Amino acid sequence: MAFGPAAMGYDRAITIFSPDGSLYQVDYAFEAVKKGWTAIGIKSKSSVVIASEKRKAQSLLDVDSIEKVFLIDDHVGCSFAGLASDGRVLIDYARNIALQHRLIYDEPVSIDYLTKSVADVKQMYTQHGGVRPFGVALVIAGIDKSVPKLFMTEPSGQYMPYQAVAIGQGYYTATEFLEKNYKEDLNVEETILLALKALSATLKPNEKLTPNTVEIGYASTQTGLFLKMTNEDKNMYLQKL
Amino acid sequence: TAVGLKVNDGIVLASERRLSYGGYVLSKQAKKVYKINKFLMAGAGIYGDLQTLTRIMNVEIKYYEVSTGKPISVHAAAKLLSVILYQYKVMPFISEILFGGVDEKGPQLYVLDPIGSLIEDNYAAVGSGARIAIGVLESEYDPNMSLDVATQLITKAIKASIERDITSGDGIDLAIIDKKGNYENKFIPY
């Protein structure tokens, strides 16, 4: 250790701070998120939308069967960027929280509370010994008593509400696009289109979104339900781009 | 004996104050109508069980509100009470409970049995004098009656049970929440 680079010694156990105040393993978990497939969340007055990209990472991969947008409860959905296995576990946890809330209180869980519960688990994995942090960021979107809500949770356990947010490979380009083009006063269709445009902005010039390479989940204040879009509907929206 | 009534203008819960152990009156000061958070709870049964349930409910409601950052609804609080009662199914709280309150959905009243059945109703009576009290409510109840008339009716019902049920007596506690959420309580010596 004494002969290693300056950082050595501070990234072996995650519970150890480096002298400048960072937890290296948590920082590395953020790097895993940056390598993930892009996911975008947008909240407007009418609705909240999640759009997520799927890439054919290997030629024999059955992209159609991969899920990137997940239903947590009737009124909440979620997507993630980073280690898929970590994401899956957290989504199972979130579904459990949502169901338990219905069981005990007979009402849908609030998006705030759900997000905080998931973020609390992530936080625990930055402080306890013998574990590693979750290498995922989650975008959680839903409707709370007719009000659209959008959150993003980070590997550190931090979570914040957003009007629009992007995570994964294309986060920088998509965020730049959204900062320029975001409007609050959009209807459901416009919100979905904005999400797709932001996702398209992250693609290489020769690439194009197809119904097979994008997943869309949306919830409108009108229905209060989080729904996943069918391929036919995706096609319709993609043609409008 | 405890009685609850829901009208369009709010809810009223009432109970007499006698706590008896067989033929012996252990206390003439036993309050069986409680205000929990912004809700009303009244019950009949083992007095210690009732007190414990009110303590649990106070804490659980506070916990809900600090962890979710929003006030709990009447239905969610009643369902919570039902879940707690069911959790103790094998060694139940010996109690019949009335639970009511007012929120954005308006006045609501629930009746719970010892193991947590949850039924919403317009009026209900529980405890030793219930069968006497319910007859009075049944014959005069009208959801459009004013809160004042509802208070008079519920008083009449408790008085009837005090007259004909030996384990009821020693005055009447009343608690009222109007449709705006204002709370009021009264004691009527009888």
mmCIF file of all heavy atoms in Angstrom, chain A residues 93 97 110-123 140 151 153 157-159, chain B residues 63 66-69:
data_model
loop_
_atom_site.group_PDB
_atom_site.id
_atom_site.type_symbol
_atom_site.label_atom_id
_atom_site.label_comp_id
_atom_site.label_asym_id
_atom_site.label_seq_id
_atom_site.Cartn_x
_atom_site.Cartn_y
_atom_site.Cartn_z
ATOM 1 N N TYR A 93 -37.565 -4.679 -4.633
ATOM 2 C CA TYR A 93 -37.733 -4.052 -3.318
ATOM 3 C C TYR A 93 -38.825 -2.976 -3.381
ATOM 4 O O TYR A 93 -39.694 -2.898 -2.512
ATOM 5 C CB TYR A 93 -36.404 -3.450 -2.851
ATOM 6 C CG TYR A 93 -36.476 -2.847 -1.480
ATOM 7 C CD1 TYR A 93 -36.419 -3.648 -0.341
ATOM 8 C CD2 TYR A 93 -36.616 -1.477 -1.308
ATOM 9 C CE1 TYR A 93 -36.510 -3.104 0.919
ATOM 10 C CE2 TYR A 93 -36.702 -0.914 -0.049
ATOM 11 C CZ TYR A 93 -36.646 -1.727 1.064
ATOM 12 O OH TYR A 93 -36.739 -1.185 2.314
ATOM 13 N N ILE A 97 -42.397 -2.614 -1.355
ATOM 14 C CA ILE A 97 -42.797 -1.447 -0.556
ATOM 15 C C ILE A 97 -44.184 -0.979 -0.982
ATOM 16 O O ILE A 97 -45.052 -0.696 -0.162
ATOM 17 C CB ILE A 97 -41.773 -0.293 -0.736
ATOM 18 C CG1 ILE A 97 -40.425 -0.667 -0.136
ATOM 19 C CG2 ILE A 97 -42.298 1.011 -0.142
ATOM 20 C CD1 ILE A 97 -40.358 -0.643 1.365
ATOM 21 N N SER A 110 -47.050 6.826 -1.906
ATOM 22 C CA SER A 110 -46.662 8.068 -2.572
ATOM 23 C C SER A 110 -45.299 7.866 -3.226
ATOM 24 O O SER A 110 -44.490 7.060 -2.760
ATOM 25 C CB SER A 110 -46.624 9.229 -1.579
ATOM 26 O OG SER A 110 -45.476 9.139 -0.769
ATOM 27 N N ILE A 111 -45.061 8.602 -4.308
ATOM 28 C CA ILE A 111 -43.825 8.411 -5.074
ATOM 29 C C ILE A 111 -42.615 8.855 -4.238
ATOM 30 O O ILE A 111 -41.559 8.235 -4.275
ATOM 31 C CB ILE A 111 -43.877 9.183 -6.419
ATOM 32 C CG1 ILE A 111 -45.250 9.068 -7.075
ATOM 33 C CG2 ILE A 111 -42.777 8.721 -7.355
ATOM 34 C CD1 ILE A 111 -45.702 7.684 -7.409
ATOM 35 N N ASP A 112 -42.828 9.913 -3.466
ATOM 36 C CA ASP A 112 -41.806 10.391 -2.525
ATOM 37 C C ASP A 112 -41.328 9.274 -1.600
ATOM 38 O O ASP A 112 -40.140 9.019 -1.461
ATOM 39 C CB ASP A 112 -42.410 11.428 -1.553
ATOM 40 C CG ASP A 112 -42.511 12.784 -2.153
ATOM 41 O OD1 ASP A 112 -43.274 12.891 -3.116
ATOM 42 O OD2 ASP A 112 -41.819 13.694 -1.662
ATOM 43 N N TYR A 113 -42.316 8.675 -0.943
ATOM 44 C CA TYR A 113 -42.008 7.669 0.071
ATOM 45 C C TYR A 113 -41.344 6.454 -0.558
ATOM 46 O O TYR A 113 -40.386 5.909 -0.013
ATOM 47 C CB TYR A 113 -43.295 7.258 0.790
ATOM 48 C CG TYR A 113 -43.066 6.227 1.859
ATOM 49 C CD1 TYR A 113 -42.498 6.578 3.073
ATOM 50 C CD2 TYR A 113 -43.388 4.898 1.643
ATOM 51 C CE1 TYR A 113 -42.268 5.629 4.053
ATOM 52 C CE2 TYR A 113 -43.159 3.942 2.618
ATOM 53 C CZ TYR A 113 -42.599 4.316 3.821
ATOM 54 O OH TYR A 113 -42.365 3.375 4.779
ATOM 55 N N LEU A 114 -41.843 6.050 -1.723
ATOM 56 C CA LEU A 114 -41.291 4.896 -2.422
ATOM 57 C C LEU A 114 -39.826 5.154 -2.783
ATOM 58 O O LEU A 114 -38.950 4.321 -2.547
ATOM 59 C CB LEU A 114 -42.104 4.634 -3.691
ATOM 60 C CG LEU A 114 -41.685 3.421 -4.498
ATOM 61 C CD1 LEU A 114 -42.152 2.150 -3.824
ATOM 62 C CD2 LEU A 114 -42.248 3.490 -5.902
ATOM 63 N N THR A 115 -39.581 6.330 -3.335
ATOM 64 C CA THR A 115 -38.223 6.690 -3.744
ATOM 65 C C THR A 115 -37.296 6.724 -2.537
ATOM 66 O O THR A 115 -36.179 6.215 -2.584
ATOM 67 C CB THR A 115 -38.233 8.075 -4.426
ATOM 68 O OG1 THR A 115 -39.197 8.051 -5.459
ATOM 69 C CG2 THR A 115 -36.878 8.407 -5.005
ATOM 70 N N LYS A 116 -37.784 7.322 -1.459
ATOM 71 C CA LYS A 116 -36.961 7.419 -0.256
ATOM 72 C C LYS A 116 -36.622 6.029 0.275
ATOM 73 O O LYS A 116 -35.485 5.780 0.680
ATOM 74 C CB LYS A 116 -37.693 8.225 0.814
ATOM 75 C CG LYS A 116 -36.873 8.428 2.068
ATOM 76 C CD LYS A 116 -37.650 9.190 3.119
ATOM 77 C CE LYS A 116 -36.932 9.158 4.452
ATOM 78 N NZ LYS A 116 -36.938 7.811 5.083
ATOM 79 N N SER A 117 -37.593 5.118 0.250
ATOM 80 C CA SER A 117 -37.340 3.763 0.737
ATOM 81 C C SER A 117 -36.228 3.092 -0.054
ATOM 82 O O SER A 117 -35.355 2.439 0.522
ATOM 83 C CB SER A 117 -38.612 2.917 0.637
ATOM 84 O OG SER A 117 -39.654 3.528 1.326
ATOM 85 N N VAL A 118 -36.278 3.240 -1.380
ATOM 86 C CA VAL A 118 -35.243 2.642 -2.226
ATOM 87 C C VAL A 118 -33.900 3.325 -1.964
ATOM 88 O O VAL A 118 -32.861 2.661 -1.831
ATOM 89 C CB VAL A 118 -35.634 2.767 -3.717
ATOM 90 C CG1 VAL A 118 -34.504 2.305 -4.601
ATOM 91 C CG2 VAL A 118 -36.894 1.976 -4.001
ATOM 92 N N ALA A 119 -33.920 4.635 -1.858
ATOM 93 C CA ALA A 119 -32.679 5.391 -1.630
ATOM 94 C C ALA A 119 -32.066 5.045 -0.272
ATOM 95 O O ALA A 119 -30.839 5.031 -0.129
ATOM 96 C CB ALA A 119 -32.959 6.889 -1.727
ATOM 97 N N ASP A 120 -32.918 4.745 0.705
ATOM 98 C CA ASP A 120 -32.417 4.345 2.028
ATOM 99 C C ASP A 120 -31.609 3.053 1.932
ATOM 100 O O ASP A 120 -30.591 2.894 2.617
ATOM 101 C CB ASP A 120 -33.577 4.152 3.006
ATOM 102 C CG ASP A 120 -34.133 5.467 3.532
ATOM 103 O OD1 ASP A 120 -33.518 6.513 3.243
ATOM 104 O OD2 ASP A 120 -35.179 5.445 4.206
ATOM 105 N N VAL A 121 -32.080 2.119 1.109
ATOM 106 C CA VAL A 121 -31.342 0.868 0.920
ATOM 107 C C VAL A 121 -29.991 1.161 0.270
ATOM 108 O O VAL A 121 -28.952 0.650 0.695
ATOM 109 C CB VAL A 121 -32.152 -0.112 0.037
ATOM 110 C CG1 VAL A 121 -31.338 -1.358 -0.252
ATOM 111 C CG2 VAL A 121 -33.451 -0.485 0.719
ATOM 112 N N LYS A 122 -30.016 2.013 -0.753
ATOM 113 C CA LYS A 122 -28.759 2.368 -1.422
ATOM 114 C C LYS A 122 -27.776 3.009 -0.435
ATOM 115 O O LYS A 122 -26.586 2.711 -0.448
ATOM 116 C CB LYS A 122 -29.036 3.347 -2.566
ATOM 117 C CG LYS A 122 -29.655 2.709 -3.779
ATOM 118 C CD LYS A 122 -29.847 3.758 -4.835
ATOM 119 C CE LYS A 122 -30.013 3.168 -6.209
ATOM 120 N NZ LYS A 122 -30.028 4.211 -7.236
ATOM 121 N N GLN A 123 -28.303 3.879 0.409
ATOM 122 C CA GLN A 123 -27.442 4.539 1.396
ATOM 123 C C GLN A 123 -26.784 3.514 2.305
ATOM 124 O O GLN A 123 -25.595 3.603 2.586
ATOM 125 C CB GLN A 123 -28.260 5.542 2.217
ATOM 126 C CG GLN A 123 -27.431 6.506 3.062
ATOM 127 C CD GLN A 123 -26.863 5.871 4.321
ATOM 128 O OE1 GLN A 123 -27.405 4.909 4.856
ATOM 129 N NE2 GLN A 123 -25.761 6.398 4.799
ATOM 130 N N ILE A 140 -37.612 7.108 -11.174
ATOM 131 C CA ILE A 140 -38.915 6.642 -10.690
ATOM 132 C C ILE A 140 -39.968 7.695 -11.022
ATOM 133 O O ILE A 140 -39.785 8.872 -10.710
ATOM 134 C CB ILE A 140 -38.876 6.386 -9.166
ATOM 135 C CG1 ILE A 140 -37.829 5.302 -8.860
ATOM 136 C CG2 ILE A 140 -40.240 5.954 -8.643
ATOM 137 C CD1 ILE A 140 -37.599 5.035 -7.392
ATOM 138 N N PHE A 151 -38.556 11.279 -9.883
ATOM 139 C CA PHE A 151 -37.376 11.267 -9.021
ATOM 140 C C PHE A 151 -36.253 10.480 -9.670
ATOM 141 O O PHE A 151 -36.498 9.613 -10.500
ATOM 142 C CB PHE A 151 -37.692 10.599 -7.677
ATOM 143 C CG PHE A 151 -38.604 11.399 -6.795
ATOM 144 C CD1 PHE A 151 -39.975 11.217 -6.843
ATOM 145 C CD2 PHE A 151 -38.086 12.338 -5.915
ATOM 146 C CE1 PHE A 151 -40.822 11.964 -6.030
ATOM 147 C CE2 PHE A 151 -38.922 13.077 -5.096
ATOM 148 C CZ PHE A 151 -40.288 12.892 -5.156
ATOM 149 N N THR A 153 -32.736 8.385 -8.237
ATOM 150 C CA THR A 153 -31.906 7.999 -7.098
ATOM 151 C C THR A 153 -30.505 7.640 -7.576
ATOM 152 O O THR A 153 -30.350 6.989 -8.607
ATOM 153 C CB THR A 153 -32.482 6.778 -6.350
ATOM 154 O OG1 THR A 153 -32.307 5.616 -7.176
ATOM 155 C CG2 THR A 153 -33.951 6.938 -6.033
ATOM 156 N N GLY A 157 -27.266 7.028 -2.552
ATOM 157 C CA GLY A 157 -28.441 7.081 -1.694
ATOM 158 C C GLY A 157 -29.120 8.437 -1.788
ATOM 159 O O GLY A 157 -30.177 8.649 -1.215
ATOM 160 N N GLN A 158 -28.498 9.333 -2.518
ATOM 161 C CA GLN A 158 -29.122 10.639 -2.731
ATOM 162 C C GLN A 158 -30.279 10.492 -3.714
ATOM 163 O O GLN A 158 -30.179 9.759 -4.693
ATOM 164 C CB GLN A 158 -28.076 11.594 -3.314
ATOM 165 C CG GLN A 158 -28.664 12.809 -3.975
ATOM 166 C CD GLN A 158 -27.962 14.077 -3.546
ATOM 167 O OE1 GLN A 158 -28.079 14.491 -2.404
ATOM 168 N NE2 GLN A 158 -27.222 14.684 -4.449
ATOM 169 N N TYR A 159 -31.385 11.191 -3.436
ATOM 170 C CA TYR A 159 -32.470 11.215 -4.430
ATOM 171 C C TYR A 159 -33.029 12.618 -4.510
ATOM 172 O O TYR A 159 -33.037 13.336 -3.507
ATOM 173 C CB TYR A 159 -33.559 10.213 -4.075
ATOM 174 C CG TYR A 159 -34.396 10.572 -2.857
ATOM 175 C CD1 TYR A 159 -35.637 11.177 -2.997
ATOM 176 C CD2 TYR A 159 -33.938 10.299 -1.573
ATOM 177 C CE1 TYR A 159 -36.403 11.502 -1.877
ATOM 178 C CE2 TYR A 159 -34.693 10.622 -0.466
ATOM 179 C CZ TYR A 159 -35.925 11.224 -0.628
ATOM 180 O OH TYR A 159 -36.680 11.548 0.478
ATOM 181 N N TYR B 63 -45.954 8.167 13.009
ATOM 182 C CA TYR B 63 -44.916 7.552 12.185
ATOM 183 C C TYR B 63 -45.248 7.676 10.696
ATOM 184 O O TYR B 63 -44.399 8.024 9.881
ATOM 185 C CB TYR B 63 -44.734 6.080 12.577
ATOM 186 C CG TYR B 63 -43.726 5.359 11.721
ATOM 187 C CD1 TYR B 63 -42.368 5.607 11.873
ATOM 188 C CD2 TYR B 63 -44.126 4.474 10.728
ATOM 189 C CE1 TYR B 63 -41.439 4.972 11.067
ATOM 190 C CE2 TYR B 63 -43.207 3.840 9.920
ATOM 191 C CZ TYR B 63 -41.862 4.085 10.089
ATOM 192 O OH TYR B 63 -40.944 3.471 9.274
ATOM 193 N N VAL B 66 -44.704 11.395 9.636
ATOM 194 C CA VAL B 66 -43.323 11.869 9.482
ATOM 195 C C VAL B 66 -42.617 11.139 8.346
ATOM 196 O O VAL B 66 -41.780 11.721 7.661
ATOM 197 C CB VAL B 66 -42.468 11.760 10.775
ATOM 198 C CG1 VAL B 66 -42.953 12.723 11.823
ATOM 199 C CG2 VAL B 66 -42.410 10.348 11.320
ATOM 200 N N SER B 67 -42.967 9.857 8.108
ATOM 201 C CA SER B 67 -42.242 9.136 7.071
ATOM 202 C C SER B 67 -42.763 9.423 5.672
ATOM 203 O O SER B 67 -42.016 9.338 4.711
ATOM 204 C CB SER B 67 -42.218 7.638 7.345
ATOM 205 O OG SER B 67 -43.514 7.143 7.470
ATOM 206 N N THR B 68 -44.036 9.760 5.533
ATOM 207 C CA THR B 68 -44.539 10.063 4.189
ATOM 208 C C THR B 68 -44.648 11.570 3.944
ATOM 209 O O THR B 68 -44.803 12.008 2.819
ATOM 210 C CB THR B 68 -45.933 9.455 3.938
ATOM 211 O OG1 THR B 68 -46.854 10.053 4.847
ATOM 212 C CG2 THR B 68 -45.929 7.956 4.142
ATOM 213 N N GLY B 69 -44.576 12.348 5.005
ATOM 214 C CA GLY B 69 -44.649 13.798 4.843
ATOM 215 C C GLY B 69 -46.036 14.301 4.478
ATOM 216 O O GLY B 69 -46.197 15.394 3.943
#
